[in-house]
Amino acid sequence: MKKMFWCLIVFLSFSCEEIDVTDVYNEEPITAEYPCVSDALNCLDSINIEGGSFNLYSSFSLDSVNLVSGAIIVVHGATRNGDDYFNRMISTIKSVGLEDSIMVIAPQFITEYEKVHDKDWYWNTTSWKWGNQSYMNGSQTSISSFEVIDYLLSKAADINKFPNLSKVLITGHSSGSAFTHTFASTKSNNTFRNLKIDFAVINNQYFLYPDSNRFLNGALFTPNDCNNYNDWPLGLTDPNPYIENLGVEVASINLIGNRIDYFIGSNDTQINDMSSGCAYQILGEHRFQKTINFNDYLNLSFEDNLHQYTIVQGIGHSSTGMFFSNEFKSYINELF
């Protein structure tokens, strides 16, 4: 096996360290050079969370000391292709010269059919994006997909391993943006321990409303002919265990009070892949309109909110187009 070494300056002393990363397919440790920015398959790792295993792609090891100043957690879409999202975000930060100072992490939520080990945490094709509980693994326990991100944040907040890391961006496209939006309700004042947390919601169609009103055709209204329209994850009625434990009032305050940035492609206007049912239809005809409606709703209902949106001209429902846009790159530069 060819040996690779990770060399960095730690507190002004020079050291080289060989890093072992778990190869979750061959079950043999491999050595990787950090920052790992060549291809996602070289950056695959497996971590233990609450007695179960979870896979992720990371440009720096979560268990080694390094001097990165920030991190980006990017959540995949409905096809659960964490490797593609890792590669796209790596390309984005390389294009702005931040690959040595920003750690990119792409979690990989899996279904039962993608399990490799008995203790792998897994969800169904949609439950992961709402923070719902996993299915029981071999230890007969389960965790919320939100707990996965909490675990990653707790690792990033370890000043003994990441003494310079102070900012984390959580983002995603499409279903990954739905995850990001709902997860934002779990944190207050854009903070987690010693970290400043930002949220970027990109081309989303599922919005969590903090009260029972909606906005359509230029006005607020309370639906009276759409059963369950306010159920989680579109509202805070009948929440999942994570949100119930947090408290729906706290979640509502968090969502309103946090700064959240929305990016929407001007051409993300297709309607053939929209979820059916009145609870979704009352939010708007397509993703572009849903994003505008949600922000208009916030401005009317909570005028001091810190939410804002950016329209990316000429881009449709494309994570590559959005991540590589000048607007998103400028946003990354401003954050880090």
Side-chain angles (χ1 to χ4, degrees), residues 20-192:
D20 283 340
V21 177
T22 302
D23 184 336
V24 296
Y25 295 107
N26 297 321
E27 299 184 351
E28 294 180 1
I30 60 174
T31 54
E33 185 177 12
Y34 288 94
C36 187
V37 294
S38 58
D39 184 82
L41 290 180
N42 298 325
C43 312
L44 180 61
D45 200 359
S46 182
I47 56 177
N48 184 284
I49 306 176
E50 299 295 329
S53 57
F54 184 85
N55 296 341
L56 57 90
Y57 303 90
S58 182
S59 61
F60 288 90
S61 171
L62 291 172
D63 292 315
S64 296
V65 177
N66 66 67
L67 301 181
V68 293
S69 58
I72 299 175
I73 299 175
V74 57
V75 184
H76 56 66
T79 53
R80 304 181 313 284
N81 51 335
D83 54 344
D84 292 330
Y85 276 77
F86 178 82
N87 288 334
R88 291 165 193 164
M89 189 57 67
I90 287 293
S91 295
T92 297
I93 67 163
K94 287 175 71 175
S95 72
V96 294
L98 292 174
E99 66 272 21
D100 292 323
S101 58
I102 303 300
M103 174 169 56
V104 174
I105 304 170
Q108 180 63 58
F109 294 101
I110 64 171
T111 67
E112 182 178 13
Y113 304 104
E114 295 148 347
K115 286 180 60 180
V116 176
H117 305 293
D118 184 50
K119 288 190 176 182
D120 287 346
W121 295 120
Y122 70 99
W123 289 259
N124 66 31
T125 55
T126 60
S127 62
W128 61 270
K129 64 184 175 183
W130 310 132
N132 293 350
Q133 297 298 114
S134 68
Y135 289 99
M136 300 292 183
N137 68 5
S139 62
Q140 295 302 302
T141 58
S142 68
I143 63 168
S144 161
S145 56
F146 286 168
E147 289 182 76
V148 172
I149 305 303
D150 286 343
Y151 178 84
L152 297 178
L153 289 174
S154 70
K155 299 286 280 188
D158 185 347
I159 61 174
N160 293 314
K161 292 184 176 179
F162 300 102
N164 293 346
L165 202 161
S166 60
K167 297 181 180 180
V168 177
L169 170 64
I170 300 174
T171 188
H173 178 267
S174 195
S175 289
S177 69
F179 182 99
T180 301
H181 191 242
T182 50
F183 182 78
S185 71
T186 72
K187 303 295 174 276
S188 62
N189 300 315
N190 289 99
T191 59
F192 179 90

Side-chain angles (χ1 to χ4, degrees), residues 9 24 39 78 88 94 142 175 223 241 284 301 304 306 317 323 330:
I9 299 175
V24 296
D39 184 82
R88 291 165 193 164
K94 287 175 71 175
S142 68
S175 289
S301 302
D304 295 328
L306 301 177
H317 199 63
F323 289 158
S330 296

Side-chain angles (χ1 to χ4, degrees), residues 283-298:
L283 305 185
E285 185 178 17
H286 42 63
R287 292 182 184 88
F288 182 85
Q289 193 60 58
K290 290 173 190 286
T291 300
I292 305 302
N293 284 347
F294 183 75
N295 280 269
D296 286 345
Y297 151 85
L298 285 173

Side-chain angles (χ1 to χ4, degrees), residues 204-330:
N204 191 23
Q205 67 163 303
Y206 307 102
F207 290 92
L208 171 62
Y209 280 70
D211 68 16
S212 58
N213 290 329
R214 298 295 183 267
F215 180 94
L216 194 63
N217 299 324
L220 292 171
F221 71 103
T222 302
N224 55 18
D225 57 353
C226 183
N227 293 333
N228 305 320
Y229 79 95
N230 204 46
D231 284 357
W232 180 267
L234 302 181
L236 290 166
T237 304
D238 194 22
N240 64 29
Y242 186 106
I243 297 298
E244 184 174 21
N245 183 63
L246 176 69
V248 294
E249 291 185 2
V250 173
S252 177
I253 292 171
N254 288 347
L255 189 68
I256 298 165
N258 280 325
R259 171 183 168 175
I260 302 178
D261 295 284
Y262 303 84
F263 292 82
I264 183 66
S266 65
N267 294 347
D268 199 349
T269 56
Q270 66 267 36
I271 60 176
N272 59 340
D273 61 346
M274 294 292 99
S275 298
S276 60
C278 63
Y280 299 94
Q281 293 168 356
I282 61 176
L283 305 185
E285 185 178 17
H286 42 63
R287 292 182 184 88
F288 182 85
Q289 193 60 58
K290 290 173 190 286
T291 300
I292 305 302
N293 284 347
F294 183 75
N295 280 269
D296 286 345
Y297 151 85
L298 285 173
N299 291 335
L300 279 176
S301 302
F302 313 98
E303 60 181 18
D304 295 328
N305 76 85
L306 301 177
H307 299 224
Q308 54 190 356
Y309 67 88
T310 298
I311 298 173
V312 181
Q313 295 294 336
I315 304 298
H317 199 63
S318 166
S319 60
T320 300
M322 297 298 284
F323 289 158
F324 293 175
S325 68
N326 290 332
E327 291 85 349
F328 189 73
K329 289 180 181 180
S330 296

